[in-house]
Amino acid sequence: MPLVPAGDPARHVWRMAASRPGGAHTALDAAGGPPLTSPPPPLHSAIPVRRAHRRFTGRPVPRDLLDEVLLAAWAAYHHHWPPGHGPALRVLVAAYEVTGLPAGLHDRHGLLGRPRWLRRLRSSYAPAPALVLVCADLTAHRPGHAAALFHAAALGHAAWLSATAHGLGACGFGGSTAEVTAYAARGIPGLRHAFTLALGHPGGGTPDRPGGGP
């Protein structure tokens, strides 16, 4: 089930993105991240056409395109919550068919490993070329558990809109996975897996309603 009511993510993410279509870019969670090869599309324009795609073609997603999706999502998120003004967030990527990226679990520093449970993780969500795993610090006193969940959902839905704006299909899922949490917490002990976005080139079948959630 979604982390927040179905109508809220689009409204809040629109507020994050609408004021800066094509605005300045924020690097992927740290200085020195890869630059965007082109200006990000305005994310608010993706709200009316966003759909939940749970089926994907076998076509791999290029690494550069995945990087641009995530960079644009971080830029939208950081417009309202600059680094240090929200809970600690970490994004992991489970890559299955990503051109230029070896199969396995990644963060911004590179390959973390190829745990056996990655195949099971994919079957639990959707058979997508990549799963974006948003983790948040849910143990800190501030901003609080509920607020940290909202921040994870806000970043996850910004990535969903970014994927849509870049021509990919995606679907978001709430909830956590213990194995992902264990990897995320290696850097920050309080981190918990909170949101998953499956993305890739949309396949056959009828997607959920426009703007729909999981």
Side-chain angles (χ1 to χ4, degrees):
M1 85 183 270
L3 294 173
V4 289
D8 286 346
R11 187 159 55 246
H12 286 292
V13 175
W14 183 87
R15 288 171 182 166
M16 289 193 299
S19 61
R20 59 174 300 179
H25 315 319
T26 300
L28 181 60
D29 197 31
L36 286 169
T37 58
S38 59
L43 300 191
H44 66 278
S45 65
I47 292 175
V49 296
R50 189 197 72 165
R51 289 168 170 79
H53 293 272
R54 292 179 173 84
R55 296 183 181 181
F56 303 90
T57 69
R59 180 181 170 194
V61 172
R63 177 180 181 176
D64 288 348
L65 180 57
L66 179 60
D67 285 342
E68 291 195 6
V69 166
L70 295 178
L71 283 165
W74 274 112
Y77 174 81
H78 281 316
H79 174 62
H80 275 244
W81 296 287
H85 288 75
L89 296 175
R90 186 182 185 188
V91 171
L92 305 180
V93 173
Y96 300 96
E97 288 102 23
V98 179
T99 305
L101 203 61
L105 189 67
H106 299 257
D107 68 0
R108 62 185 176 87
H109 297 296
L111 180 66
L112 297 175
R114 298 180 178 87
R116 294 182 179 180
W117 48 262
L118 273 185
R119 181 178 297 181
R120 185 174 70 255
L121 185 73
R122 191 185 197 188
S123 64
S124 298
Y125 292 106
L131 299 176
V132 176
L133 310 163
V134 182
C135 306
D137 186 355
L138 305 183
T139 62
H141 178 67
R142 293 185 178 182
H145 186 277
L149 286 177
F150 166 77
H151 280 268
L155 178 56
H157 281 83
W160 192 345
L161 291 178
S162 180
T164 300
H166 281 85
L168 296 175
C171 183
F173 301 86
S176 63
T177 303
E179 293 88 349
V180 175
T181 290
Y183 265 78
R186 292 179 179 182
I188 303 175
L191 284 181
R192 298 291 184 270
H193 176 212
F195 189 93
T196 299
L197 184 73
L199 61 83
H201 298 282
T206 303
D208 287 357
R209 63 181 175 82

Short mmCIF file of all heavy atoms in Angstrom, two decimals, residues 33-63:
data_model
loop_
_atom_site.label_atom_id
_atom_site.label_comp_id
_atom_site.label_asym_id
_atom_site.label_seq_id
_atom_site.Cartn_x
_atom_site.Cartn_y
_atom_site.Cartn_z
N GLY A 33 29.14 14.14 -8.25
CA GLY A 33 28.30 13.20 -8.96
C GLY A 33 28.33 13.47 -10.44
O GLY A 33 28.73 14.56 -10.89
N PRO A 34 27.92 12.52 -11.27
CA PRO A 34 27.97 12.70 -12.71
C PRO A 34 27.03 13.82 -13.15
O PRO A 34 25.92 13.92 -12.67
CB PRO A 34 27.50 11.33 -13.25
CG PRO A 34 26.72 10.73 -12.14
CD PRO A 34 27.35 11.22 -10.88
N PRO A 35 27.47 14.72 -14.06
CA PRO A 35 26.61 15.81 -14.50
C PRO A 35 25.52 15.31 -15.43
O PRO A 35 25.65 14.28 -16.08
CB PRO A 35 27.58 16.74 -15.24
CG PRO A 35 28.64 15.80 -15.76
CD PRO A 35 28.78 14.73 -14.71
N LEU A 36 24.43 16.06 -15.49
CA LEU A 36 23.38 15.76 -16.45
C LEU A 36 23.89 16.05 -17.86
O LEU A 36 24.55 17.04 -18.10
CB LEU A 36 22.14 16.62 -16.18
CG LEU A 36 21.29 16.25 -14.96
CD1 LEU A 36 20.27 17.35 -14.69
CD2 LEU A 36 20.58 14.94 -15.19
N THR A 37 23.56 15.17 -18.79
CA THR A 37 23.96 15.39 -20.17
C THR A 37 22.99 16.34 -20.88
O THR A 37 23.29 16.85 -21.93
CB THR A 37 24.03 14.07 -20.93
OG1 THR A 37 22.75 13.42 -20.88
CG2 THR A 37 25.07 13.14 -20.31
N SER A 38 21.81 16.55 -20.30
CA SER A 38 20.83 17.48 -20.86
C SER A 38 20.00 18.01 -19.71
O SER A 38 19.89 17.38 -18.66
CB SER A 38 19.94 16.78 -21.89
OG SER A 38 19.25 15.70 -21.30
N PRO A 39 19.37 19.20 -19.87
CA PRO A 39 18.56 19.74 -18.79
C PRO A 39 17.41 18.79 -18.46
O PRO A 39 16.84 18.16 -19.35
CB PRO A 39 18.03 21.07 -19.37
CG PRO A 39 18.99 21.40 -20.46
CD PRO A 39 19.44 20.09 -21.03
N PRO A 40 17.06 18.64 -17.18
CA PRO A 40 15.97 17.74 -16.83
C PRO A 40 14.64 18.28 -17.32
O PRO A 40 14.42 19.49 -17.33
CB PRO A 40 16.01 17.72 -15.29
CG PRO A 40 16.63 19.03 -14.92
CD PRO A 40 17.62 19.33 -16.00
N PRO A 41 13.73 17.43 -17.75
CA PRO A 41 12.41 17.91 -18.16
C PRO A 41 11.65 18.38 -16.94
O PRO A 41 11.92 17.93 -15.82
CB PRO A 41 11.76 16.65 -18.76
CG PRO A 41 12.46 15.51 -18.09
CD PRO A 41 13.86 15.97 -17.84
N PRO A 42 10.70 19.32 -17.11
CA PRO A 42 9.91 19.76 -15.96
C PRO A 42 9.07 18.61 -15.42
O PRO A 42 8.24 18.06 -16.12
CB PRO A 42 9.05 20.89 -16.53
CG PRO A 42 9.15 20.80 -18.01
CD PRO A 42 10.36 20.00 -18.35
N LEU A 43 9.28 18.25 -14.17
CA LEU A 43 8.63 17.06 -13.63
C LEU A 43 7.13 17.22 -13.48
O LEU A 43 6.38 16.25 -13.58
CB LEU A 43 9.26 16.69 -12.29
CG LEU A 43 10.76 16.36 -12.29
CD1 LEU A 43 11.16 15.77 -10.95
CD2 LEU A 43 11.12 15.40 -13.42
N HIS A 44 6.67 18.46 -13.22
CA HIS A 44 5.23 18.62 -13.02
C HIS A 44 4.44 18.26 -14.28
O HIS A 44 3.28 17.88 -14.19
CB HIS A 44 4.91 20.04 -12.57
CG HIS A 44 5.17 21.09 -13.59
ND1 HIS A 44 6.42 21.63 -13.80
CD2 HIS A 44 4.34 21.71 -14.47
CE1 HIS A 44 6.35 22.54 -14.76
NE2 HIS A 44 5.11 22.61 -15.18
N SER A 45 5.07 18.34 -15.45
CA SER A 45 4.36 18.01 -16.69
C SER A 45 4.09 16.51 -16.80
O SER A 45 3.27 16.08 -17.61
CB SER A 45 5.17 18.47 -17.90
OG SER A 45 6.39 17.75 -18.00
N ALA A 46 4.78 15.70 -15.97
CA ALA A 46 4.59 14.25 -16.03
C ALA A 46 3.41 13.79 -15.18
O ALA A 46 2.97 12.64 -15.31
CB ALA A 46 5.86 13.54 -15.56
N ILE A 47 2.87 14.65 -14.31
CA ILE A 47 1.80 14.23 -13.42
C ILE A 47 0.57 13.73 -14.17
O ILE A 47 0.05 12.65 -13.87
CB ILE A 47 1.42 15.36 -12.44
CG1 ILE A 47 2.58 15.61 -11.47
CG2 ILE A 47 0.15 15.03 -11.66
CD1 ILE A 47 2.38 16.79 -10.55
N PRO A 48 0.06 14.44 -15.20
CA PRO A 48 -1.17 13.96 -15.86
C PRO A 48 -0.99 12.65 -16.62
O PRO A 48 -1.98 11.96 -16.88
CB PRO A 48 -1.52 15.11 -16.83
CG PRO A 48 -0.78 16.30 -16.31
CD PRO A 48 0.47 15.75 -15.71
N VAL A 49 0.24 12.31 -17.01
CA VAL A 49 0.45 11.11 -17.84
C VAL A 49 1.11 9.98 -17.07
O VAL A 49 1.34 8.91 -17.62
CB VAL A 49 1.30 11.44 -19.09
CG1 VAL A 49 0.55 12.41 -19.98
CG2 VAL A 49 2.66 12.00 -18.71
N ARG A 50 1.42 10.21 -15.80
CA ARG A 50 2.06 9.16 -15.02
C ARG A 50 1.12 7.99 -14.83
O ARG A 50 -0.06 8.15 -14.52
CB ARG A 50 2.47 9.70 -13.64
CG ARG A 50 3.34 8.74 -12.84
CD ARG A 50 3.38 9.10 -11.38
NE ARG A 50 2.10 8.82 -10.72
CZ ARG A 50 1.95 8.76 -9.40
NH1 ARG A 50 2.98 8.99 -8.61
NH2 ARG A 50 0.77 8.51 -8.87
N ARG A 51 1.63 6.77 -15.03
CA ARG A 51 0.86 5.56 -14.82
C ARG A 51 1.73 4.55 -14.08
O ARG A 51 2.95 4.64 -14.10
CB ARG A 51 0.39 4.98 -16.16
CG ARG A 51 -0.70 5.81 -16.84
CD ARG A 51 -0.93 5.38 -18.27
NE ARG A 51 -2.11 5.98 -18.84
CZ ARG A 51 -2.21 7.21 -19.31
NH1 ARG A 51 -1.15 7.99 -19.27
NH2 ARG A 51 -3.33 7.67 -19.83
N ALA A 52 1.07 3.61 -13.46
CA ALA A 52 1.80 2.54 -12.77
C ALA A 52 2.00 1.38 -13.73
O ALA A 52 1.06 0.66 -14.07
CB ALA A 52 1.02 2.09 -11.53
N HIS A 53 3.24 1.21 -14.20
CA HIS A 53 3.58 0.12 -15.11
C HIS A 53 4.23 -1.00 -14.31
O HIS A 53 5.26 -0.80 -13.66
CB HIS A 53 4.54 0.61 -16.20
CG HIS A 53 3.93 1.58 -17.15
ND1 HIS A 53 3.26 1.20 -18.28
CD2 HIS A 53 3.90 2.94 -17.13
CE1 HIS A 53 2.83 2.27 -18.94
NE2 HIS A 53 3.21 3.34 -18.26
N ARG A 54 3.65 -2.18 -14.40
CA ARG A 54 4.20 -3.35 -13.71
C ARG A 54 4.79 -4.37 -14.67
O ARG A 54 5.32 -5.39 -14.24
CB ARG A 54 3.13 -4.00 -12.84
CG ARG A 54 2.69 -3.14 -11.66
CD ARG A 54 1.59 -3.83 -10.85
NE ARG A 54 1.28 -3.10 -9.64
CZ ARG A 54 0.44 -2.07 -9.56
NH1 ARG A 54 -0.16 -1.64 -10.65
NH2 ARG A 54 0.20 -1.47 -8.41
N ARG A 55 4.67 -4.11 -15.97
CA ARG A 55 5.24 -4.99 -16.99
C ARG A 55 6.23 -4.18 -17.83
O ARG A 55 5.96 -3.04 -18.19
CB ARG A 55 4.14 -5.57 -17.87
CG ARG A 55 3.16 -6.48 -17.13
CD ARG A 55 2.14 -7.08 -18.08
NE ARG A 55 1.20 -7.94 -17.38
CZ ARG A 55 0.21 -8.60 -17.96
NH1 ARG A 55 0.04 -8.49 -19.28
NH2 ARG A 55 -0.60 -9.36 -17.24
N PHE A 56 7.34 -4.83 -18.14
CA PHE A 56 8.41 -4.15 -18.85
C PHE A 56 8.94 -5.04 -19.96
O PHE A 56 8.86 -6.27 -19.90
CB PHE A 56 9.54 -3.79 -17.88
CG PHE A 56 9.10 -2.95 -16.72
CD1 PHE A 56 8.66 -3.53 -15.54
CD2 PHE A 56 9.09 -1.56 -16.82
CE1 PHE A 56 8.23 -2.77 -14.47
CE2 PHE A 56 8.66 -0.78 -15.75
CZ PHE A 56 8.23 -1.39 -14.58
N THR A 57 9.49 -4.39 -21.00
CA THR A 57 10.10 -5.14 -22.09
C THR A 57 11.45 -5.67 -21.61
O THR A 57 11.94 -5.33 -20.54
CB THR A 57 10.31 -4.26 -23.33
OG1 THR A 57 11.33 -3.28 -23.02
CG2 THR A 57 9.02 -3.54 -23.72
N GLY A 58 12.08 -6.50 -22.41
CA GLY A 58 13.41 -6.99 -22.07
C GLY A 58 14.51 -6.03 -22.46
O GLY A 58 15.70 -6.36 -22.34
N ARG A 59 14.16 -4.85 -22.92
CA ARG A 59 15.14 -3.86 -23.36
C ARG A 59 15.86 -3.24 -22.16
O ARG A 59 15.21 -2.70 -21.24
CB ARG A 59 14.43 -2.77 -24.16
CG ARG A 59 15.33 -1.67 -24.69
CD ARG A 59 14.45 -0.67 -25.43
NE ARG A 59 15.19 0.54 -25.78
CZ ARG A 59 14.61 1.66 -26.19
NH1 ARG A 59 13.29 1.71 -26.31
NH2 ARG A 59 15.33 2.72 -26.49
N PRO A 60 17.18 -3.29 -22.12
CA PRO A 60 17.91 -2.71 -20.98
C PRO A 60 17.74 -1.19 -20.91
O PRO A 60 17.47 -0.53 -21.90
CB PRO A 60 19.37 -3.09 -21.26
CG PRO A 60 19.31 -4.21 -22.24
CD PRO A 60 18.09 -3.95 -23.07
N VAL A 61 17.94 -0.66 -19.72
CA VAL A 61 17.94 0.78 -19.50
C VAL A 61 19.39 1.26 -19.52
O VAL A 61 20.23 0.72 -18.79
CB VAL A 61 17.28 1.13 -18.16
CG1 VAL A 61 17.45 2.61 -17.84
CG2 VAL A 61 15.80 0.76 -18.18
N PRO A 62 19.75 2.25 -20.34
CA PRO A 62 21.12 2.77 -20.32
C PRO A 62 21.46 3.40 -18.97
O PRO A 62 20.63 4.07 -18.36
CB PRO A 62 21.12 3.82 -21.43
CG PRO A 62 19.95 3.49 -22.29
CD PRO A 62 18.92 2.91 -21.37
N ARG A 63 22.67 3.20 -18.55
CA ARG A 63 23.10 3.76 -17.26
C ARG A 63 22.97 5.28 -17.25
O ARG A 63 22.56 5.87 -16.25
CB ARG A 63 24.54 3.35 -16.96
CG ARG A 63 25.07 3.96 -15.67
CD ARG A 63 26.49 3.55 -15.38
NE ARG A 63 26.96 4.13 -14.13
CZ ARG A 63 28.12 3.88 -13.58
NH1 ARG A 63 28.96 3.04 -14.19
NH2 ARG A 63 28.48 4.45 -12.44
#
